[in-house]
Amino acid sequence: MIIAANLKTNLTRKESDEYIAELEKFLDKNNFSQEVLVFPATSSLNSHSGKVIVGAQNAYAAKNGAFTGEIGLDHLEEFGIKTILIGHSERRHIFGESQEALVKKFNFYKELGFKIVYCVGEPLEVREAGNKVMMEYISTQYEGIDIGYENLIIAYEPVWAIGTGLTPTLEDIEVIHKELKQKSHAPLLYGGSVKVTNAKEVLACENVDGVLVGSAALYVNHFCSMISYAQELNK
Ligand code: PGA
């Protein structure tokens, strides 16, 4: 399974390095076979060799250039980063990234062979409008995306579940994941208020191939427990 930590705007470079070193120790000790991804803040990116795959939370669709406040391919290459998160709801909703901009970013990093974790998910008012409206909304987030891309991982993250402590029921997760799996055979993660207390049940859901974890992943021991659960399930 794929267990991913989105550290968002937390942990300095030193703290992120320590976090990843702890994870490596844990993985080595247990000889686990799970795929573990960590997305540190941009200024916390660093070169790393080991089992943990370090990815960028964001980068612009350019090698370099006049894009104030952004980083480009050169900055990722400096640290050997070949994995990127695209379409996270905070990028879509707080920073107003359009589907068009995300597609551009997706295609740029796809051409370079990056592993891409592409996020989709609906806001609360869309969910409340019913299943049909919700699935139509999520479908628009697949527009322009090469769903057959070999290095694609999709993360379903309902916007209203991110950082709120709320989650869909396990049954809802299974229903939505089943529908999304029909759109793309890429591994499908669930994200949104995954905690050490609910990770086991979420990971056990049908068509859940892993989790993308934000706040709860900041505790490295909690994140390690989630990796253990995935290992126990051995899906
Ligand atoms: P959360 O965030 O686990 O804090 O809800 C998940 C995410 O944003 O990827």
Side-chain angles (χ1 to χ4, degrees), residues 6 8 88 157 161-163 192-193 212-215:
N6 175 8
K8 306 195 180 185
H88 188 276
E157 300 201 300
I162 295 178
S193 293
L212 176 55
V213 190
S215 25

Side-chain angles (χ1 to χ4, degrees), residues 66-81:
F67 308 106
T68 302
E70 295 285 330
I71 61 164
L73 177 64
D74 283 352
H75 308 91
L76 300 180
E77 283 184 334
E78 183 181 9
F79 299 116
I81 307 290

Side-chain angles (χ1 to χ4, degrees), residues 124-202:
L124 188 58
E125 66 275 15
V126 173
R127 164 155 297 229
E128 285 173 343
N131 198 53
K132 188 167 173 285
V133 172
M134 180 177 79
M135 292 316 296
E136 278 168 7
Y137 180 95
I138 297 173
S139 290
T140 63
Q141 298 176 324
Y142 280 74
E143 278 169 17
I145 299 298
D146 177 2
I147 47 156
Y149 175 48
E150 56 181 2
N151 281 327
L152 171 64
I153 297 167
I154 296 175
Y156 168 63
E157 300 201 300
V159 180
W160 52 273
I162 295 178
T164 58
L166 303 170
T167 52
T169 63
L170 299 174
E171 197 190 340
D172 282 345
I173 292 175
E174 287 195 337
V175 168
I176 296 166
H177 273 235
K178 190 172 176 200
E179 285 205 41
L180 296 182
K181 271 283 173 146
Q182 280 156 18
K183 289 184 187 297
S184 167
H185 297 305
L188 182 59
L189 316 184
Y190 169 79
S193 293
V194 175
K195 310 267 176 236
V196 76
T197 46
N198 63 8
K200 210 178 224 165
E201 294 95 62
V202 171

